[in-house]
């Protein structure tokens, strides 16, 4: 993919400090694990995929569909990566609003440290912004621009525009490795709701326009805008139709109904509670999953919930244990001990194997309620406060309410 986009409902607000700190710690661990296992180009490739990026935001506890994912995730990654940039070989420049205007100076500083061509990096940054803001006039004005570059000179751009009339934001992703020209079809996909006839000066068919300023009124919208990207709905809650229930069910079964001691490849994870294994399985897939696995980003919100309580409050004690497990595995991997990181990798593999024989049941809403009812046990938090122990009803059996069977 050279470029892709995501359309997101426009949301305002800030990330609470208790979540921002955890997002940075886990986001940094995920990025480092990808670099160790697959290399820096693989990290850029994932960042350029709008589906993967949305899944990352969900697994970090952000609202699964809101525009705030972009700023929050990039802030978390910048905080985690930049103070270790020389070690990791990755630099994140720019940001939102006035910080986006600092991108050229920051890229020149990176160039001084790495020996890269700073002027060329600045030119690429400005061109990517100009294309999405001016050459493609789709009704969205950029307000966020981030440029991620490796010490080898490969780069990815993530930027976001706003259409206040439609109350939507559009996120744009770029990847340098397959880019051939900024002004002739730099996008393998420009995606989002069809805006009707738009001005797209990067289309190959627009050559006469660039030469003679001829309007492209005879071209059909789907010729100008090939739509193969992610468009997220306005509803805030996570619904069953937003999730691949076969994939989610397999991950829950692995965590809650599998005897880890019977599985040699996961013995190093024995002793962890089922709820932590649920989170670890989904984080493992974010690191090791193939692109086709991220078509339903909402599924990854079942790792650590969402700050607004959708699908359930953020289980901070589980979040902290997940961070600890991955940081420990990364530390040992640096020392040449990869047993634990391999066990974490196998979580996603085994979950995928379980999918083959799994038929989803109709317990999605019950499972969401189960998570909410038990959230207080894991120090659940939202922007509205701490999760409370639910009031027992006479028909409830036991503290956690009904026990769910994940199999039919």
């Amino acid at each position: 993919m050279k470029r892709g986009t995501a359309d997101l409902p426009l949301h305002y607000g800030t990330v609470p400090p208790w979540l921002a700190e955890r997002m940075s710690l886990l986001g940094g661990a995920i990025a480092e694990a990808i670099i160790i296992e697959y290399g820096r180009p693989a990290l850029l490739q994932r960042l350029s995929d709008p589906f993967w990026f949305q899944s990352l935001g969900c697994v970090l506890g952000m609202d699964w569909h809101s525009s705030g994912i972009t700023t929050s995730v990039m802030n978390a990654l910048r905080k985690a990566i930049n103070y270790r940039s020389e070690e990791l070989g990755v630099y994140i420049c720019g940001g939102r609003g006035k910080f986006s205007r600092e991108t050229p100076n920051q890229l020149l500083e990176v160039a001084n440290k790495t020996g890269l061509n700073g002027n060329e990096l600045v030119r690429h940054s400005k061109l990517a912004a100009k294309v999405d803001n001016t050459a493609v006039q789709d009704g969205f004005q950029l307000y966020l621009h981030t440029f991620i570059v490796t010490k080898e000179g490969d780069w990815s751009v993530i930027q976001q525009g706003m259409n206040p009339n439609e109350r939507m934001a559009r996120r744009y992703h770029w990847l340098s490795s397959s880019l051939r020209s900024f002004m002739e079809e730099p996008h393998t996909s420009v995606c989002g709701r069809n805006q009707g006839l738009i001005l797209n000066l990067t289309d190959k068919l627009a050559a006469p326009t660039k030469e003679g300023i001829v309007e492209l009124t005879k071209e059909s919208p789907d010729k100008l805008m090939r739509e193969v990207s992610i468009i997220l709905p306005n509803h805030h809650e996570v619904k069953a139709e937003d999730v691949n229930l076969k994939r989610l069910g397999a991950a829950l079964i692995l965590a809650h109904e599998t005897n880890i001691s019977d599985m040699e490849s996961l013995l190093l994870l024995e002793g962890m509670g089922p709820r932590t294994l649920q989170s670890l399985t989904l984080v493992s897939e974010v690191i090791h999953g193939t692109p086709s696995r991220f078509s339903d980003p909402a599924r990854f919100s079942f790792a650590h919930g969402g700050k607004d309580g959708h699908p359930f409050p953020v289980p901070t004690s589980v979040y902290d244990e997940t961070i600890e497990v991955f940081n420990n595995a990364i530390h040992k991997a640096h020392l040449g001990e990869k047993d634990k990181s391999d066990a974490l990798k196998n979580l996603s593999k085994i979950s995928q194997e379980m999918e083959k024989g799994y038929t989803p049941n109709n317990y999605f809403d019950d499972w969401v309620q189960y998570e909410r009812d038990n959230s207080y046990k894991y120090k659940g938090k939202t922007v509205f406060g701490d999760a409370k122990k639910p009031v027992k009803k006479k028909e409830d059996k036991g503290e956690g309410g009904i026990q769910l069977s994940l199999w039919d």
Side-chain angles (χ1 to χ4, degrees), residues 260 263-270 272 339-341 343:
I260 297 297
M263 306 182 71
E264 183 177 342
S265 61
L266 299 182
L267 280 177
L268 290 173
L269 304 179
E270 191 173 8
M272 295 177 192
D339 289 351
K340 196 156 193 173
S341 60

Side-chain angles (χ1 to χ4, degrees), residues 256 275 278 311-318 366-381 386-391 396-404:
H256 296 270
R275 187 57 188 79
Q278 177 180 322
F312 47 81
V314 177
T316 59
S317 64
V318 172
D366 292 332
W367 189 265
V368 171
Q369 190 60 50
Y370 180 81
E371 285 276 8
R372 290 176 177 174
D373 290 345
N374 286 276
S375 181
Y376 74 97
K377 296 180 181 179
Y378 308 115
K379 300 181 180 179
K381 286 181 177 289
D386 295 344
K388 305 297 184 184
K389 184 177 179 179
V391 178
D396 283 347
K397 296 180 180 180
E399 211 171 80
I402 60 171
Q403 292 296 312
L404 300 179

Side-chain angles (χ1 to χ4, degrees), residues 28-44:
I30 289 172
E32 186 172 0
I34 291 171
I35 291 171
I36 292 173
E37 188 73 25
Y38 303 106
R40 284 179 286 272
L43 177 62
L44 294 184

Side-chain angles (χ1 to χ4, degrees), residues 48 55 64 86 98 190 221 239 243-244 263 297 302 328 331:
S48 72
S55 301
W64 72 282
E86 292 188 17
K98 65 179 182 180
V190 179
K239 298 181 179 181
V243 175
N244 184 317
M263 306 182 71
F302 279 80
N328 183 265
H331 175 70

Side-chain angles (χ1 to χ4, degrees), residues 135-164:
V136 178
Q137 296 184 15
D138 55 2
F140 292 82
Q141 290 296 304
L142 295 186
Y143 66 93
L144 178 147
H145 173 84
T146 52
F147 194 100
I148 307 98
V149 61
T150 69
K151 66 179 183 179
E152 292 84 11
D154 298 318
W155 54 264
S156 175
V157 167
I158 296 174
Q159 50 199 6
Q160 187 154 291
M162 182 190 302
N163 186 330

